[in-house]
Amino acid sequence: MARKTSRRPGRPLGESTAQREALLDAAAWAFAEAGRDGVTLKQVADRARVSAPLASYYFGGKSGLFETVLAERLEPRFNALLESLRTPSGSPAATLSTFIQQFGAIAARNPWMPDLIRREPAHLARLTGLMLPLIASGQASGEIRSD
């Protein structure tokens, strides 16, 4: 008779990353819709169609999942957007126009992103910290209306 191998409960089979990626995708949407405090780990796991213990296995809990969503899903896209504001495209209006086009393209591929940025004060502050001086400079030069 063949001997069955046992595995720990909640531990994923093999080294597949599909479940981890599904959890990150589900969490990005859930955190964008309800915020960090408005979502439970079980809700994210249900949305990803995995068990809550599996989510804990990968991320150590909701805080770890949230931090991973920020680090792996939001930050790379967000930093690319910020770079478009740091690298002038000529005038302030042209730089803002480039930013808006890039933001729209990234948001079209990642519809959860604008809401997650809006819910994250630190990210929102970084964004406005770069945008407001550009707007003020454009207004001062008459390129952007002040009303």
Side-chain angles (χ1 to χ4, degrees):
M1 175 181 237
R3 185 173 168 207
K4 288 179 112 179
T5 57
S6 64
R7 63 183 192 88
R8 293 186 350 224
R11 185 180 172 145
L13 294 173
E15 295 299 318
S16 172
T17 60
Q19 293 172 321
R20 183 181 187 278
E21 294 301 310
L23 278 162
L24 288 173
D25 291 341
W29 277 103
F31 291 134
E33 291 170 356
R36 180 181 189 158
D37 295 332
V39 176
T40 67
L41 189 62
K42 182 175 179 349
Q43 289 170 324
V44 172
D46 288 348
R47 190 174 193 153
R49 299 175 194 248
V50 300
S51 68
L54 183 67
S56 289
Y57 169 81
Y58 279 121
F59 304 104
K62 185 172 83 169
S63 289
L65 177 59
F66 183 76
E67 294 304 320
T68 304
V69 165
L70 293 183
E72 293 184 20
R73 292 292 194 263
L74 182 60
E75 283 297 322
R77 294 160 179 91
F78 187 71
N79 287 335
L81 286 171
L82 294 184
E83 193 58 35
S84 72
L85 291 172
R86 289 186 189 109
T87 308
S89 305
S91 68
T95 300
L96 289 168
S97 178
T98 299
F99 165 79
I100 291 166
Q101 290 171 5
Q102 288 180 352
F103 188 88
I106 291 173
R109 292 186 306 272
N110 306 280
W112 50 265
M113 192 173 140
D115 284 335
L116 190 54
I117 291 170
R118 180 181 57 82
R119 290 184 178 280
E120 281 304 298
H123 287 83
L124 195 55
R126 287 169 54 200
L127 182 60
T128 57
L130 290 171
M131 288 182 76
L132 292 178
L134 277 171
I135 294 168
S137 175
Q139 288 173 334
S141 70
E143 184 182 14
I144 298 174
R145 293 175 28 176
S146 60
D147 61 346

